[in-house]
Amino acid sequence: MQEIDKYLTPNDKKKRLKYMQQAKEYYDQVLSDPYIRSFIKEHELTKKEIHQSRSTFAQWYSSKHMINGIFKGYIPILTYASHRVILSYQASKELQKQRKDKMRRDNVVLFNESITLKDASNKDLYKDDARNEIIKYIHDVYKRYKADPHCLWGGNHGMKGCYLHGDFGVGKTYIMAVLANNLASLGAKVVFLHMPTFITTLSDYINSKHKNVNDLVRKASNADVLIVDDIGAENISEWARDNIFSVIMQHRMDNCQLTCFTSNLSMLDLAIHFTQTRTDISPVKSRRLMERIMFLADTIQLVNEDKNGENNDWRLKKFDEDDNLNDMD
């Protein structure tokens, strides 16, 4: 230090002394922080260890009190190991919640459904006796998927998907959106498609140079969870029934993948619906498709029990036309 001093001007020496005094005051302030004092006491740090850890303590202190800096959303954590004080950072609960919510939203791919379905949650479900069965189903599926995300669905593997049918406006789509969001929060990749629009859009994919119908089929086939909304309301062609939708159902049946449906039609009425296409009447092909659907899903009927004739669920959800989102392009 004396060697350096002889090269300094009086003014430089004055500045250095001032800096050293400020540094000492700052370190004193750091070491007087209640948490650091408690940390030192808990781990019985020696004077030498305290001196060697001053910069680490100072970094913890500045991070702790930084409001709008690079450490926003992170909590500085001090640990002691092998006679060393170590500083690490942990995401705050708020940041963890934001990340989890973003992951959940990103995991749900909508095909011409309202983007607001990504906000559907258990707390907003209208509960009555008519919904007990489907609410229990949602709870059971969540528990099973959480216990084993690689479990098999459909057929003889125990739990199946759900074919939820009932009158228009009773809340079928919203209920399935809750199921989708619950599973997406566990990391499942969910495709939620509106069947009538999906079928109509197929011709756009065929005629487009930038869209590939095989990519569309692959996304629906390979999703961890597929929810087919409003099946039976589409005007389907023989080609779309046999070469697109049946192919998707066959793939999901072969791989026992969780597949759910909503419809205004019973299974029997859906079979009749698939019998007749725009250009063909084929009970055999309809029966083959229905066998796949029945392998994948069990039927749950949803009835609106509101005695006043008012809907307490889906029709209270107001969506604008421009809310539609196509994530599958």
Side-chain angles (χ1 to χ4, degrees):
M1 186 69 70
Q2 291 178 350
E3 288 294 320
I4 297 174
D5 282 349
K6 68 181 182 180
Y7 295 105
L8 298 177
T9 65
N11 191 44
D12 289 336
K13 291 179 181 179
K14 185 177 180 181
K15 287 181 179 179
R16 186 168 69 84
L17 286 171
K18 182 179 180 181
Y19 169 78
M20 291 176 65
Q21 180 61 31
Q22 289 175 340
K24 182 181 181 303
E25 290 174 358
Y26 180 71
Y27 282 125
D28 288 344
Q29 182 180 345
V30 169
L31 294 175
S32 65
D33 181 273
Y35 178 82
I36 292 179
R37 290 174 61 185
S38 174
F39 182 88
I40 291 172
K41 183 178 180 180
E42 178 185 352
H43 298 285
E44 299 179 345
L45 269 62
T46 64
K47 289 184 178 180
K48 182 180 179 180
E49 288 172 334
I50 294 172
H51 181 77
Q52 291 173 339
S53 305
R54 286 189 309 166
S55 61
T56 303
F57 287 137
Q59 191 174 351
W60 176 91
Y61 186 84
S62 62
S63 302
K64 186 73 174 177
H65 297 281
M66 187 176 291
I67 299 174
N68 293 313
I70 59 173
F71 300 107
K72 184 179 181 182
Y74 291 88
I75 301 171
I77 305 294
L78 289 176
T79 54
Y80 180 72
S82 302
H83 302 286
R84 292 179 59 234
V85 177
I86 301 167
L87 176 64
S88 59
Y89 293 90
Q90 176 181 305
S92 65
K93 289 184 179 180
E94 182 181 356
L95 182 59
Q96 290 178 37
K97 183 178 181 299
Q98 291 174 359
R99 286 177 174 176
K100 187 175 181 180
D101 188 59
K102 183 180 185 304
M103 179 197 74
R104 175 187 61 77
R105 296 179 72 87
D106 290 345
N107 281 345
V108 178
V109 176
L110 300 172
F111 186 88
N112 280 83
E113 295 279 12
S114 169
I115 193 172
T116 51
L117 289 177
K118 292 190 178 188
D119 296 319
S121 65
N122 294 308
K123 65 182 179 65
D124 293 324
L125 275 179
Y126 179 73
K127 298 176 178 64
D128 58 20
D129 291 341
R131 288 167 169 76
N132 284 344
E133 185 178 3
I134 185 60
I135 290 174
K136 182 180 183 301
Y137 173 82
I138 290 174
H139 178 70
D140 291 345
V141 168
Y142 179 85
K143 283 174 57 179
R144 179 171 179 178
Y145 197 95
K146 187 175 183 179
D148 180 13
H150 303 294
C151 59
L152 299 176
W153 305 82
N156 299 319
H157 298 291
M159 201 166 190
K160 293 186 180 183
C162 169
Y163 182 87
L164 184 63
H165 72 99
D167 293 338
F168 169 79
V170 294
K172 301 182 297 293
T173 299
Y174 190 84
I175 289 170
M176 284 295 103
V178 171
L179 174 64
N181 290 333
N182 286 352
L183 297 179
S185 71
L186 297 176
K189 304 294 184 182
V190 183
V191 168
F192 199 121
L193 65 84
H194 183 245
M195 182 68 168
T197 311
F198 175 76
I199 296 301
T200 303
T201 307
L202 289 175
S203 59
D204 296 336
Y205 275 76
I206 294 171
N207 299 324
S208 173
K209 295 180 180 179
H210 307 290
K211 299 178 180 180
N212 189 323
V213 69
N214 291 328
D215 291 338
L216 193 64
V217 172
R218 195 156 36 245
K219 287 179 181 178
S221 298
N222 294 332
D224 297 329
V225 181
L226 174 65
I227 298 177
V228 183
D229 186 34
D230 209 10
I231 188 172
E234 70 285 340
N235 183 14
I236 199 167
S237 67
E238 181 183 4
W239 172 80
R241 180 193 64 193
D242 300 337
N243 298 311
I244 300 296
F245 193 64
S246 289
V247 169
I248 294 171
M249 293 298 101
Q250 182 69 48
H251 182 280
R252 299 193 68 81
M253 183 181 78
D254 290 344
N255 292 279
C256 298
Q257 295 164 296
L258 181 58
T259 309
C260 295
F261 309 84
T262 74
S263 181
N264 295 334
L265 306 178
S266 66
M267 282 267 197
L268 178 59
D269 289 335
L270 185 67
I272 296 171
H273 165 76
F274 280 132
T275 297
Q276 183 170 355
T277 66
R278 301 170 195 164
T279 58
D280 174 65
I281 298 177
S282 178
V284 174
K285 291 180 179 179
S286 172
R287 184 168 65 250
R288 288 176 182 168
L289 175 55
M290 290 304 301
E291 284 174 354
R292 297 175 179 122
I293 293 174
M294 293 170 70
F295 176 94
L296 290 165
D298 284 330
T299 299
I300 296 179
Q301 185 175 9
L302 190 62
V303 179
N304 187 7
E305 290 191 345
D306 183 27
K307 297 177 181 178
N308 295 321
E310 297 175 357
N311 187 289
N312 291 300
D313 191 13
W314 180 244
R315 282 176 287 186
L316 295 180
K317 309 292 179 183
K318 297 180 180 179
F319 304 120
D320 296 326
E321 288 296 327
D322 58 359
D323 274 341
N324 283 345
L325 177 71
N326 187 345
D327 283 339
M328 295 184 68
D329 285 347

